[in-house]
């Protein structure tokens, strides 16, 4: 029987806790290189996730600024958001943020994300148990947005992240840049964003680039059912580092601005299962937003995401 040293088991735990969940990591395994801090590409915000994880123009998702900071200044109210996601292998991904508008079309937002995974059994070179190997990833983000004219939002996020397993820790910084423009008529919005721009990080003596990802997309909304509801369609192109570009599609039916039904498709060759997404949402008195997303991931199981946003004022 072959026994693995603790260092190798630690590296294996990294793959289990982060890489298996990330399309960018999976792509890197088959491509010419790898990316570090791959958990940064995991989507946040159940509304956008249910619409094919479309993040370039996340108009109805309070968490959209985490993917496209151009949304920071387009948010209508100050508020607090909380997001929870369950993955395979007892892994959880949680986020909380606060957004606050400022004068002159400016707005600030700040948040924190924590990823937790089950401990991994550790063994030394002789195969003797050395105890559990704990692991966890955290990141903090601060964003600023500006709406210089009606319907246009531009923004910048600065993030600090740390990934840790046993005694090994990697730290780094990254930037997100993005813009969103809403046309008054017809009801079309376009957006573009580049996330996780920054220097390479070193983890267990290996230097890896950040999972930089570029997105460009558009959405269109129209009344349906004798104006009792509205239909929004979204499409975008996504280009992650070390992975071919792929398309994402989403649809949302909104009934009186209260009840939302969503579905989407992610056309990524490195994604487990068939790429379909679904979910729904509820808006209460224009203050409370509750959203849910369901994502099947084949042998990894079904992932469930829930987000809640409460507006605290204008």
């Amino acid at each position: 029987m072959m026994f693995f040293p603790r260092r190798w088991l630690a590296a294996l735990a990294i793959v289990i806790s982060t890489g298996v969940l990330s399309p960018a990591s999976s792509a890197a395994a088959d491509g010419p290189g790898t990316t570090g801090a791959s958990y940064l590409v995991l989507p946040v915000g159940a509304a956008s996730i249910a619409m094919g994880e479309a993040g370039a123009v996340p108009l109805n998702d309070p968490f959209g600024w985490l993917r496209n900071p151009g949304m920071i200044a387009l948010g209508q109210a100050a508020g607090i958001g909380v997001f929870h996601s369950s993955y395979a292998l007892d892994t959880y991904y949680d986020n909380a943020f606060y957004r606050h508008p400022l004068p002159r079309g400016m707005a600030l937002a700040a948040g924190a994300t924590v990823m937790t995974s089950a401990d991994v059994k550790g063994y030394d070179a002789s195969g003797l148990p050395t105890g559990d190997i704990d692991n966890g990833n955290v990141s903090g983000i601060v964003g600023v947005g500006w709406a210089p004219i009606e319907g246009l939002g531009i923004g910048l996020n600065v993030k600090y992240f740390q990934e840790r397993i046993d005694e090994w820790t990697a730290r780094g910084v990254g930037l997100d840049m993005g813009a969103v423009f809403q046309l008054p008529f017809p009801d079309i919005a376009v957006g573009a964003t580049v996330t996780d721009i920054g220097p390479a990080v070193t983890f267990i003596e290996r230097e890896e680039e950040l999972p930089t990802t570029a997105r460009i997309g558009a959405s269109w909304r129209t009344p349906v059912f004798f104006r009792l509801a509205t239909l929004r369609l979204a499409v975008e192109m996504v280009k992650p580092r070390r992975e071919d570009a792929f398309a994402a599609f989403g649809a949302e039916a909104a009934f009186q601005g209260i009840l939302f039904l969503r579905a989407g498709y992610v056309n990524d060759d490195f994604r487990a299962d068939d790429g379909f997404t679904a979910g729904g949402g509820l808006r209460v008195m224009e203050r409370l937003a509750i959203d849910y997303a369901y994502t099947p991931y084949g042998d990894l199981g079904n992932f469930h995401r829930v987000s809640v946003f409460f507006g605290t004022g204008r």
Side-chain angles (χ1 to χ4, degrees):
M1 180 180 295
M2 181 179 295
F3 297 100
F4 294 90
R6 194 175 187 185
R7 180 181 294 268
W8 293 4
L9 285 168
L12 176 62
I14 297 170
V15 175
I16 294 174
S17 64
T18 60
V20 72
L21 302 176
S22 168
S25 319
S26 302
D30 294 334
T34 60
T35 59
S38 56
Y39 71 97
L40 294 176
V41 305
L42 294 177
V44 177
S48 299
I49 294 172
M51 293 182 64
E53 301 182 3
V57 194
L59 295 179
N60 276 343
D61 192 344
F63 294 78
W65 69 275
L66 293 165
R67 191 71 68 88
N68 188 338
M71 290 299 302
I72 298 176
L74 296 184
Q76 295 183 350
I80 299 171
V82 179
F83 170 84
H84 174 74
S85 179
S86 64
Y87 293 99
L89 305 172
D90 294 324
T91 299
Y92 302 96
Y93 196 61
D94 299 289
N95 173 274
F97 80 86
Y98 176 71
R99 184 181 67 215
H100 188 77
L102 298 173
R104 302 182 184 277
M106 303 287 290
L108 291 176
T113 301
V114 178
M115 183 176 185
T116 57
S117 303
D119 292 346
V120 178
K121 297 294 183 182
Y123 300 87
D124 62 20
S126 301
L128 298 176
T130 58
D132 291 343
I133 299 175
D134 62 342
N135 60 91
N137 304 320
V138 298
S139 64
I141 185 169
V142 175
V144 59
W146 182 39
I149 61 174
E150 183 70 22
L152 173 63
I154 57 178
L156 175 71
N157 292 336
V158 180
K159 63 182 67 173
Y160 169 85
F161 61 87
Q162 173 183 293
E163 50 183 346
R164 177 187 57 82
I165 183 164
D166 204 36
E167 71 263 31
W168 294 282
T169 302
R171 300 179 178 87
V173 295
L175 298 176
D176 305 333
M177 300 184 298
V180 176
F181 182 59
Q182 296 178 260
L183 283 70
F185 181 82
D187 198 340
I188 294 175
V190 294
T193 179
V194 181
T195 56
D196 302 312
I197 307 166
V201 295
T202 300
F203 200 54
I204 311 183
E205 300 178 357
R206 181 182 180 88
E207 186 176 88
E208 296 179 332
E209 299 172 312
L210 295 189
T212 305
T213 303
R215 295 174 176 268
I216 183 170
S219 73
W220 171 69
R221 187 176 66 170
T222 183
V224 293
F225 301 132
F226 305 101
R227 296 187 177 274
L228 297 176
T230 58
L231 174 66
R232 183 185 299 276
L233 302 177
V235 59
E236 71 179 41
M237 291 299 298
V238 186
K239 178 60 178 74
R241 185 190 293 273
R242 308 215 180 276
E243 183 181 344
D244 292 338
F246 62 88
F249 308 91
E252 174 189 77
F255 300 89
Q256 299 298 306
I258 298 174
L259 177 65
F260 297 79
L261 299 178
R262 305 180 178 104
Y265 181 75
V266 186
N267 188 30
D268 185 0
D269 291 339
F270 291 99
R271 184 184 181 89
D273 206 62
D274 53 18
F276 283 100
T277 63
L282 184 67
R283 300 293 185 268
V284 181
M285 299 178 63
E286 298 184 357
R287 287 274 187 170
L288 180 65
I290 304 172
D291 296 300
Y292 166 77
Y294 165 82
T295 310
Y297 259 78
D299 293 338
L300 294 177
N302 301 320
F303 296 170
H304 303 276
R305 286 80 172 252
V306 178
S307 58
V308 178
F309 177 79
F310 179 73
T312 59
R314 292 189 176 274

